Amino acid sequence: MRMQEWDARGIGSGDLLIDKLSRLEPLYEAFVCPLTKQVMRDPVTLESGQTYERVAIERWLEECRENGREPVCPITSQQVTAPPKPSIALRNTIEEWTARNDLAHIDIATNLLSADSSESDVLYGLKDLQQLCRKNKSNKYRIRNAGLLPLIVERLKNVADVRIRALRTLHILAEDDDDNKVALADTDLMRSVVKCLSRKLSVEREEAVALLYELSKSPLLCELIGAANGAILILVGMTSSSSENVRAAELANQTLSNLEGCDNNVREMAQNGRLQPLLTRLVEGPEEVRVEMAEDLASITLTTEAKARAAEATASVLVEMLGSSSPPERASALKALCSLSSLDSNGDLLIEAGVLPLLMRDLFVVGTNTLPMKLKETSAATLANVVCSSALWENIPIDADSNTLTSEVTVHNFLHLISNTGPAIESKLLQILVGLTSKPQTVNKVVSHIKSAGATVSLIQFLEAPQNDLRVMALKLLHVLSSHMGQELADGLRLTTRQLGTLVRLLGESSVTEEQAYAAGLLANLPMQDHYLTRALLSEGALPILVGRIEEVKRGVVHIGAGRNIGPFQKGLVCILSRFTYMLDDDDIVDQARELDFTALFTSLLRLSNLEEVQQFSAQALENLSVKSKELSRLPDMRMNNNSLFGCFTCGKEPPPPTGLCLVHGGLCSARDTFCLVEAQAIGPLVACLDHRNTSVVEAAMGALSTLLMDTTDVERGGQVCVLHQNDAIQSILVIMQEHRTEVLRQQAVWMVERILRDPDLARSIAMDASVHTALVDAFRYGNNNAKQLAERALKVLNRIPTFSGVFTKIR
């Protein structure tokens, strides 16, 4: 019967296999229960002499009684009056027969799995092994003893159908059998099962994770499973809510729960996004476990979400560990806190847990509890992260005297420590000061304390630090301070000119880095009126460097990764360059402004840049340059050459009027040599700025345009007004006067309108506009003293005020 079954599956084709199958003993009819038609396991005999499976005949007899009939033998119908008697001899015979045949089946399966069998042969051999295991648990031992486990594991490298059946077979062999699990650990099983976990077939992944779950019930195998490359990562991925196989996801989750008993697995899980086991052990474990878990938490790269969850779960425990007298606890807690503090939103959690006083203690307390310098650096880094976050640390006491982070003694302690430690901790201490100055409500206090400590020059000296991190952080701090103590920094840079030269050279380097952006911002914030600093910059060769870098940025010549720094860098460069236009009484600066064509450069920036600050600085620079134009503009030399053949005919006569003279300045002008806005074609871009939403840009543009109307004589000739009219500026100026966005703009507009009205034709045209009259009246009534006087003049021109009014002192 067995041979026929195998032949039907196409297996019994070889002589060797037929010979093996011939070893199977036939099934004897006496072994089969008449009721179940199965081989009996516990045969019993009735009075009738018939033998049955105990369970089956007892059920039969019970049913007879329940139905109100006398119990009888199912075959002979003879009444049963005595309990069935065990057929020990038959049972032993059946067991011996079964054992012999089971061994034969195992031997056949061994040959099928060892030889170069067909896929169908292997599949049937594996199925036969499954049946043997289900029939008799002792067969698991026989299969292991026959050396079949490595052969089955090897079949995990075959096609999908074979792999799936092999996984099921291994699962049955491992189920409730620790010896088989240990034996499987000595094979290549883990690596092969992990490969099956990553296959496309859902059923194969399910069988693989079911096997791993069974193996994970053995603590001895948990570490081995976790050590298999990719096992935990794939299992964590399978637990995702988006998993299409719910059972596989549940099995993966149960497997991971079993693996949590091994510390190495907990660490691996945390690295792959399953953080909760680590957090639980950190919160609930004994000291040695907490230390280890804190170390792991510090070393793992966490996502933003993971850091937030970790801080919420462990902040209090970690701060408690930080306050411990145990050095290992303090060290591990500090490292973990440093990692968690790098997330901005964790700042308040750590402060609420009480981290600030302990961090300050670790930084400044000396004695037996002093931390090693490396851990002091970690403490400084943690404090820097908290202070630079959005946390509310301003009013938190940090010591028994209720000092805060912005108290004078605290700031002085930071400054003192900066001067007496190494570069790594100095960088973090500077970062702390950056954080302390980052809030409007604290910056003035901190600046005041820095001034009282006389630390300006010391901070400036860090600009020459060889360590990039330290230099960048010093620049960042000085950049922040420059908005509040610009003159002190300017004085310090002039006293220590090496640092000023360092900044200038840094701006000239062929890149656009964060460091350069801070350097540009620092120099841009220094007072424009400090002409000594401007000359010092000139001596350092700043002008050609600034122009060269501005041109590079304008052309888009930047390096990869410089995008976020380009805007601040360009704004700083343009502001620094514009400061030289405030010193055009210096012949050297005028010469270089001509050589570098300042007017064309600032005009192009005004036209091309979309940065408001660049537009503002460019317009202010053009204003300064334009003021100088009248002085630089010259009439052509009309004297005739005495050697001319026709000189005698013109002697004593007036030369013809020169042609090509500037309408604004009345002489020969150019953008490069006389800084003429008309020749630079700057009027159009300046007029375009009058519609800008930023009033600072509008004020700067108005200031530049007003320089065209400065010469009273030329205004009355009409040339300057004509230039404004040709560029459609007059209507925009009138609108600005009517809108009254700021008092500065109103005064500028009224001043310009008063000058424009000196042109009779324009005065008649403007007089028709009732809104202009209203705006002038408003300025006359509510403007400041200058605006009132200018409005009065304009209203007189418009015949709105009698010319004998004489209310105000005459102004020019």
Side-chain angles (χ1 to χ4, degrees):
M1 185 171 99
R2 179 68 68 177
M3 290 182 65
Q4 291 173 352
E5 185 179 342
W6 280 62
D7 286 338
R9 294 179 175 273
I11 296 175
S13 57
D15 293 339
L16 177 61
L17 188 54
I18 293 174
D19 178 61
K20 292 291 183 182
L21 292 173
S22 66
R23 292 173 49 194
L24 294 175
E25 296 184 25
L27 176 62
Y28 301 100
E29 187 176 351
F31 294 172
V32 178
C33 173
L35 294 175
T36 65
K37 309 301 182 185
Q38 300 291 328
V39 175
M40 293 180 286
R41 294 175 178 272
D42 186 10
V44 293
T45 303
L46 300 180
E47 299 168 62
S48 63
Q50 296 297 319
T51 303
Y52 301 92
E53 181 69 57
R54 179 187 292 276
V55 174
I57 191 60
E58 287 179 348
R59 185 185 307 115
W60 166 269
L61 296 174
E62 182 63 28
E63 288 177 356
C64 289
R65 296 187 187 96
E66 289 176 355
N67 293 329
R69 295 184 287 111
E70 290 291 333
V72 296
C73 174
I75 295 176
T76 66
S77 298
Q78 179 180 340
Q79 186 176 354
V80 177
T81 59
K85 294 181 180 180
S87 298
I88 297 174
L90 180 59
R91 185 179 65 186
N92 291 338
T93 301
I94 292 174
E95 288 178 353
E96 291 171 0
W97 173 85
T98 301
R100 288 192 300 272
N101 267 0
D102 286 350
L103 287 173
H105 279 294
I106 291 172
D107 186 50
I108 293 169
T110 301
N111 280 275
L112 290 175
L113 295 176
S114 302
D116 187 16
S117 304
S118 67
E119 179 183 336
S120 58
D121 286 352
V122 174
L123 286 171
Y124 192 83
L126 290 170
K127 184 177 182 180
D128 209 39
L129 291 176
Q130 293 177 23
Q131 292 173 344
L132 288 171
C133 293
R134 292 191 182 100
K135 183 175 68 173
N136 191 340
K137 289 185 178 181
S138 61
N139 282 331
K140 294 184 179 182
Y141 163 76
R142 296 187 181 108
I143 292 170
R144 180 179 76 248
N145 200 45
L148 270 170
L149 295 183
L151 297 179
I152 301 172
V153 171
E154 189 66 19
R155 289 301 174 177
L156 294 176
K157 300 176 182 177
N158 291 157
V159 296
D161 287 344
V162 173
R163 293 197 304 268
I164 292 169
R165 187 161 293 182
L167 287 167
R168 289 175 180 167
T169 306
L170 290 168
H171 187 186
I172 294 171
L173 284 165
E175 196 170 16
D176 300 325
D177 193 316
D178 290 340
D179 292 334
N180 273 355
K181 291 175 182 176
V182 172
L184 286 171
D186 292 332
T187 68
D188 193 31
L189 175 64
M190 299 306 173
R191 188 168 64 88
S192 299
V193 174
V194 171
K195 284 187 178 181
C196 294
L197 281 177
S198 59
R199 304 278 189 185
K200 292 183 179 180
L201 286 175
S202 176
V203 64
E204 181 175 358
R205 295 198 302 274
E206 182 179 330
E207 291 295 340
V209 73
L211 173 57
L212 281 182
Y213 171 58
E214 184 60 41
L215 296 175
S216 70
K217 294 177 182 178
S218 170
L220 296 174
L221 271 68
C222 285
E223 186 168 358
L224 189 64
I225 295 172
N229 186 29
I232 288 179
L233 173 60
I234 297 174
L235 288 170
V236 171
M238 292 179 72
T239 62
S240 168
S241 59
S242 61
S243 176
E244 74 282 2
N245 190 325
V246 176
R247 181 172 181 271
E250 291 175 352
L251 288 169
N253 191 57
Q254 292 169 357
T255 304
L256 289 168
S257 296
N258 290 341
L259 297 181
E260 290 173 9
C262 175
D263 288 347
N264 289 336
N265 291 342
V266 170
R267 184 181 305 110
E268 185 76 14
M269 289 178 201
Q271 290 174 340
N272 290 289
R274 190 180 176 92
L275 189 61
Q276 191 56 48
L278 186 149
L279 302 180
T280 301
R281 291 168 72 84
L282 175 56
V283 173
E284 300 177 359
E287 178 182 338
E288 60 274 12
V289 172
R290 294 201 303 179
V291 169
E292 187 175 349
M293 292 299 104
E295 289 280 356
D296 291 341
L297 184 61
S299 63
I300 293 170
T301 301
L302 300 174
T303 64
T304 297
E305 181 184 356
K307 282 185 181 179
R309 286 192 289 112
E312 186 174 353
T314 66
S316 297
V317 173
L318 290 172
V319 171
E320 178 186 335
M321 292 170 64
L322 185 61
S324 167
S325 59
S326 167
E329 271 201 90
R330 290 174 65 191
S332 61
L334 185 56
K335 295 173 188 175
L337 286 167
C338 186
S339 173
L340 298 181
S341 67
S342 61
L343 179 64
D344 183 275
S345 58
N346 283 343
D348 282 318
L349 276 173
L350 300 183
I351 289 174
E352 185 178 348
V355 75
L356 288 183
L358 295 175
L359 291 175
M360 294 296 292
R361 176 205 66 183
D362 289 342
L363 274 176
F364 294 106
V365 170
V366 296
T368 55
N369 289 326
T370 300
L371 284 178
M373 187 54 67
K374 191 67 179 176
L375 289 177
K376 277 186 177 288
E377 294 172 12
T378 307
S379 183
T382 307
L383 183 58
N385 288 339
V386 173
V387 171
C388 291
S389 73
S390 57
L392 302 176
W393 42 260
E394 299 92 314
N395 300 316
I396 303 298
I398 58 169
D399 56 26
D401 298 325
S402 297
N403 287 309
T404 66
L405 289 172
T406 56
S407 295
E408 184 174 31
V409 64
T410 308
V411 174
H412 285 186
N413 283 339
F414 282 133
L415 294 169
H416 177 74
L417 192 58
I418 288 174
S419 303
N420 294 279
T421 52
I425 191 171
E426 286 171 345
S427 174
K428 297 304 177 184
L429 292 170
L430 288 172
Q431 186 180 354
I432 291 170
L433 291 177
V434 170
L436 296 180
T437 56
S438 64
K439 296 190 176 183
Q441 61 268 40
T442 62
V443 61
N444 290 330
K445 289 177 63 177
V446 178
V447 168
S448 174
H449 301 332
I450 291 175
K451 289 180 180 179
S452 67
T456 306
V457 173
S458 298
L459 294 175
I460 289 174
Q461 289 174 348
F462 282 112
L463 295 177
E464 292 190 300
Q467 296 82 9
N468 183 68
D469 289 347
L470 180 55
R471 194 170 58 247
V472 170
M473 199 51 62
L475 269 171
K476 189 172 184 179
L477 175 60
L478 292 172
H479 176 226
V480 174
L481 296 178
S482 63
S483 299
H484 304 274
M485 48 186 295
Q487 191 58 60
E488 290 83 355
L489 291 176
D491 294 340
L493 285 170
R494 283 190 284 105
L495 290 173
T496 57
T497 53
R498 291 194 313 275
Q499 283 78 25
L500 185 61
T502 298
L503 290 174
V504 172
R505 288 190 295 274
L506 177 60
L507 297 180
E509 292 179 1
S510 58
S511 56
V512 182
T513 63
E514 182 183 40
E515 184 180 6
Q516 289 176 302
Y518 287 138
L522 165 61
L523 291 175
N525 286 339
L526 300 182
M528 290 285 188
Q529 65 273 19
D530 191 331
H531 293 173
Y532 296 104
L533 180 64
T534 304
R535 288 193 174 89
L537 286 167
L538 186 68
S539 300
E540 294 292 343
L543 271 177
I545 290 174
L546 292 168
V547 172
R549 295 314 314 276
I550 290 172
E551 291 288 358
E552 284 181 13
V553 173
K554 193 173 66 173
R555 295 196 308 269
V557 182
V558 295
H559 291 72
I560 295 175
R564 64 189 180 90
N565 299 313
I566 291 175
F569 184 60
Q570 186 183 32
K571 287 187 286 187
L573 291 176
V574 175
C575 181
I576 300 167
L577 185 64
S578 70
R579 75 178 295 124
F580 290 93
T581 66
Y582 290 85
M583 283 188 61
L584 294 176
D585 56 338
D586 188 307
D587 291 340
D588 291 335
I589 292 178
V590 170
D591 290 342
Q592 290 208 43
R594 284 170 163 169
E595 182 182 346
L596 297 170
D597 202 355
F598 269 24
T599 315
L601 175 59
F602 284 116
T603 299
S604 67
L605 288 170
L606 194 67
R607 184 172 58 251
L608 300 176
S609 179
N610 58 358
L611 297 175
E612 296 176 354
E613 293 87 348
V614 170
Q615 293 176 321
Q616 178 185 343
F617 298 143
S618 298
Q620 290 169 345
L622 288 173
E623 177 184 356
N624 297 334
L625 291 165
S626 182
V627 170
K628 189 71 174 177
S629 293
K630 183 65 178 177
E631 177 185 333
L632 297 176
S633 182
R634 293 285 186 271
L635 288 171
D637 188 355
M638 300 303 297
R639 292 174 300 174
M640 299 299 294
N641 190 331
N642 290 334
N643 295 326
S644 171
L645 178 65
F646 303 102
C648 59
F649 296 105
T650 60
C651 185
K653 296 181 180 180
E654 288 290 332
T659 60
L661 300 183
C662 178
L663 289 175
V664 174
H665 304 114
L668 293 177
C669 284
S670 70
R672 178 183 292 271
D673 293 330
T674 68
F675 313 141
C676 179
L677 300 187
V678 179
E679 294 297 324
Q681 299 182 354
I683 310 302
L686 286 168
V687 172
C689 288
L690 298 183
D691 292 329
H692 205 287
R693 64 180 182 276
N694 187 327
T695 56
S696 295
V697 175
V698 180
E699 290 173 2
M702 287 284 283
L705 291 171
S706 68
T707 62
L708 304 179
L709 301 172
M710 290 179 65
D711 192 300
T712 304
T713 303
D714 290 339
V715 168
E716 292 170 352
R717 285 204 308 265
Q720 298 165 327
V721 175
C722 180
V723 169
L724 290 175
H725 183 63
Q726 290 171 352
N727 286 275
D728 300 322
I730 294 176
Q731 185 59 40
S732 296
I733 295 169
L734 293 174
V735 170
I736 288 172
M737 182 180 68
Q738 294 161 19
E739 289 180 344
H740 182 205
R741 294 169 67 183
T742 69
E743 189 60 37
V744 172
L745 279 176
R746 175 160 69 178
Q747 182 170 328
Q748 287 177 318
V750 171
W751 184 90
M752 295 181 74
V753 168
E754 189 274 332
R755 295 285 174 121
I756 291 168
L757 289 174
R758 297 183 188 187
D759 183 301
D761 294 333
L762 281 174
R764 283 191 295 272
S765 174
I766 291 173
M768 305 293 292
D769 190 339
S771 60
V772 174
H773 169 256
T774 301
L776 288 171
V777 170
D778 190 59
F780 179 69
R781 295 180 62 192
Y782 303 112
N784 59 28
N785 191 50
N786 284 339
K788 287 182 178 182
Q789 295 181 60
L790 294 168
E792 181 195 13
R793 284 186 175 185
L795 289 168
K796 286 179 180 179
V797 173
L798 296 175
N799 294 321
R800 302 295 184 178
I801 294 179
T803 56
F804 55 82
S805 169
V807 176
F808 299 108
T809 305
K810 184 177 181 181
I811 63 171
R812 292 188 61 81

